[in-house]
Amino acid sequence: MKRLIKLLLIVSGVLMGLPLIGQAATQPFPDASVGNYAFGVGSYYNAFAAGKLTINSSPIDTLEGRYAANQIVESTSGVYNDGKVWNKLTNLSPVYVANEVPYDSSDSTLAAQGQNLFAVLNTANKLPDADKVVVNNLRDQADNEWTASEKTQNAVLINHLAAENVGDVQYFKDNVASMEADYQQQTGKSISLDPTKVDASDYFTAAAAQIKSISAYYASFNDDSSVIKNDEVDSVTIDSSLNEDNPEVTVNLKDNYQENFSDTPPIVFLKLSGQPKNVTIHVTGMDTTTSENVASNDTSYTTYKYAPYIFVNWTGITGDSLPFTWGSAYTFTVKDTDGTTITNSQNDDWTNSDGTKATVNQLLSSHILNNFPNAMTASGQYLSADEGSGDHLFTGTIMAPDASLQVANYGSSQYFYGSVISGKDVLIENNMLPARVIASSFDVQHISTDNISDLDPTQQVPKLSNLTLDFKSR
C-alpha cells in the first residue's frame, strides 16, 4: 500500500505538470522495485573495491565471503600449496567477480601477484569444486586463446570459471542504470556499460561514481542536523557531544515498533563531525529476538532481528587514518522491552555454533553503516578500522568513496564486524571468518531503499492540495 501511495503521488505530480527530480539526484541506487541495494552494486559483497583488491594470505587462516574488484590479486607466493582451503561456504558463489586477474601484466609486481591468484584458482582442492569465479580476462583467454594443452594444464581454473562476464552478474545487471546515471552526475560525461566487452573496467569506473554518490547522499541527510530519524524511533538523545571525543547517544525505539518492521524498520542517521574516540551508542526498548544466519548445514551465527538501522556519517575524518588508537572502543548497549540492559560483559545468552561468543557488537553489526564521505588516501595508503578495545571493536560496514580500506592483521580474534566498500582499493590481511561475513554483512535484504528515500529531508514530493482523486466502484 505504501508503494502504491508513493506511485500515485508521482503520477499525480505528472498530471499536475509538476517537475520531477531525476533519479540520480534523489537516490543514487536502484529503485526498490529492482531490489534492495542500499549500497548499490557493492551491497552484497564482503569486500568491494572499484580499484584493486589485494589478498595477503600470509596472516590469514580463514578466508570466506564474496569479493568484487576491477583487479584481484594475491600477494603471497606459494599460498596455493599451504593446505588451507578457501571459500568453503559455497552458498556465497561466485566468490570472486573481477575484470581481471592480471597475471600477464606488464607491471612485474602486479603480474606476480596475479599469478599467485591464478595458481590458487588452478590448484585442486584450494577452492571447493562448486565455487565459481567471474573473471573477464581469464574467461576470454580460456574461450579464445588457450591451446588444447593449455586448457588441460588449466583445467581446475576452467572448472571454477563461470560462463559469464562481470556485466552478466545479477548485482551488476540490476545496478547498470543507476551506475550510468551516477557517473554522468559525477563527471558530466556519459558511460555505456556493455556486458559483452572483455574489458569490464567501465563497470568499476561507474561503480566508483555510484559509491561516491551514495556516500554523499547519506552524508547529506545530516547537513542541517546531527540526528535524523524516522517515525519508528521515539527519540534520539545526545548524552555527550557528537563533535568531540567520547560521544554518546541513546536511540529510544517506539513501543511495538517490531510489528511494522518489515515495512518500516527504525532508521537513524548520526553525524560525527569531529574526530572522536570511544563512541558509545545505547539502544533502548529493543525487541531482542534473534535471527540465525546459516553459513552451512551445521553452522549458524546470530544477529538481532529487530535492531534499528544506524547510519553513522563520520564527516570529520578527512585524512588517511581513522582516529582510533589501540584501546579505543566502539561500545553498544541494548535495553530490551522488559527494561533489562544487555552489554558485552553481561551477554551470556548467545553463542555462535562454533562456540564463539556472540557479542552485542556482533548482534547489532548487520544494521550499522559507517560512512566516510570525506576520507582520502594517497596511493599505497589505507584507512583501517580493524582494531579496538576488547569486545568493543569497530562495528558495522564501512563505506569510503575516496579512501582505500584495509582489513588489517591484529590477530585471529581481533577484527571488526562488517563489510568494506571502497571507491578505490582494498587490502585484506585478516581472517574473514563466517561470523564476520555471514552475521555481520549489512542486512540490505530487509531495508528497502524506499525506507531510506522516504526519510530524505531534501526530497521534493509533489503536493496534492489542488487535486482530488475520486475512485468509484465499478
Side-chain angles (χ1 to χ4, degrees), residues 12 51 242 254 343:
S12 300
L242 299 185
K254 280 192 172 180
T343 65

mmCIF file with all atom_site columns, all heavy atoms in Angstrom, residues 12 51 242 254 343:
data_model
loop_
_atom_site.group_PDB
_atom_site.id
_atom_site.type_symbol
_atom_site.label_atom_id
_atom_site.label_alt_id
_atom_site.label_comp_id
_atom_site.label_asym_id
_atom_site.label_entity_id
_atom_site.label_seq_id
_atom_site.pdbx_PDB_ins_code
_atom_site.Cartn_x
_atom_site.Cartn_y
_atom_site.Cartn_z
_atom_site.occupancy
_atom_site.B_iso_or_equiv
_atom_site.pdbx_formal_charge
_atom_site.auth_seq_id
_atom_site.auth_comp_id
_atom_site.auth_asym_id
_atom_site.auth_atom_id
_atom_site.pdbx_PDB_model_num
ATOM 1  N N   . SER A 1 12  ? 0.427  11.656 -9.892  1.00 0.00 ? 12  SER A N   1
ATOM 2  C CA  . SER A 1 12  ? -0.332 12.887 -9.698  1.00 0.00 ? 12  SER A CA  1
ATOM 3  C C   . SER A 1 12  ? 0.513  14.102 -10.024 1.00 0.00 ? 12  SER A C   1
ATOM 4  O O   . SER A 1 12  ? 0.046  15.075 -10.608 1.00 0.00 ? 12  SER A O   1
ATOM 5  C CB  . SER A 1 12  ? -0.829 12.980 -8.249  1.00 0.00 ? 12  SER A CB  1
ATOM 6  O OG  . SER A 1 12  ? -1.654 11.879 -7.944  1.00 0.00 ? 12  SER A OG  1
ATOM 7  N N   . GLY A 1 51  ? 38.717 -0.284 -7.419  1.00 0.00 ? 51  GLY A N   1
ATOM 8  C CA  . GLY A 1 51  ? 40.074 -0.401 -7.961  1.00 0.00 ? 51  GLY A CA  1
ATOM 9  C C   . GLY A 1 51  ? 40.605 -1.809 -7.803  1.00 0.00 ? 51  GLY A C   1
ATOM 10 O O   . GLY A 1 51  ? 40.079 -2.761 -8.376  1.00 0.00 ? 51  GLY A O   1
ATOM 11 N N   . LEU A 1 242 ? 28.487 14.965 20.029  1.00 0.00 ? 242 LEU A N   1
ATOM 12 C CA  . LEU A 1 242 ? 28.883 14.135 18.898  1.00 0.00 ? 242 LEU A CA  1
ATOM 13 C C   . LEU A 1 242 ? 30.058 14.719 18.135  1.00 0.00 ? 242 LEU A C   1
ATOM 14 O O   . LEU A 1 242 ? 30.555 14.106 17.195  1.00 0.00 ? 242 LEU A O   1
ATOM 15 C CB  . LEU A 1 242 ? 27.698 13.953 17.942  1.00 0.00 ? 242 LEU A CB  1
ATOM 16 C CG  . LEU A 1 242 ? 26.453 13.266 18.512  1.00 0.00 ? 242 LEU A CG  1
ATOM 17 C CD1 . LEU A 1 242 ? 25.422 13.050 17.408  1.00 0.00 ? 242 LEU A CD1 1
ATOM 18 C CD2 . LEU A 1 242 ? 26.809 11.943 19.168  1.00 0.00 ? 242 LEU A CD2 1
ATOM 19 N N   . LYS A 1 254 ? 10.162 3.105  19.561  1.00 0.00 ? 254 LYS A N   1
ATOM 20 C CA  . LYS A 1 254 ? 8.757  3.174  19.930  1.00 0.00 ? 254 LYS A CA  1
ATOM 21 C C   . LYS A 1 254 ? 8.244  1.828  20.422  1.00 0.00 ? 254 LYS A C   1
ATOM 22 O O   . LYS A 1 254 ? 8.749  0.773  20.030  1.00 0.00 ? 254 LYS A O   1
ATOM 23 C CB  . LYS A 1 254 ? 7.916  3.630  18.731  1.00 0.00 ? 254 LYS A CB  1
ATOM 24 C CG  . LYS A 1 254 ? 7.930  5.122  18.496  1.00 0.00 ? 254 LYS A CG  1
ATOM 25 C CD  . LYS A 1 254 ? 6.855  5.527  17.504  1.00 0.00 ? 254 LYS A CD  1
ATOM 26 C CE  . LYS A 1 254 ? 6.758  7.058  17.428  1.00 0.00 ? 254 LYS A CE  1
ATOM 27 N NZ  . LYS A 1 254 ? 5.726  7.494  16.462  1.00 0.00 ? 254 LYS A NZ  1
ATOM 28 N N   . THR A 1 343 ? 24.904 -5.773 27.847  1.00 0.00 ? 343 THR A N   1
ATOM 29 C CA  . THR A 1 343 ? 26.203 -5.296 27.373  1.00 0.00 ? 343 THR A CA  1
ATOM 30 C C   . THR A 1 343 ? 27.043 -6.522 27.026  1.00 0.00 ? 343 THR A C   1
ATOM 31 O O   . THR A 1 343 ? 26.654 -7.662 27.286  1.00 0.00 ? 343 THR A O   1
ATOM 32 C CB  . THR A 1 343 ? 26.924 -4.466 28.440  1.00 0.00 ? 343 THR A CB  1
ATOM 33 O OG1 . THR A 1 343 ? 27.237 -5.324 29.558  1.00 0.00 ? 343 THR A OG1 1
ATOM 34 C CG2 . THR A 1 343 ? 26.056 -3.312 28.927  1.00 0.00 ? 343 THR A CG2 1
#
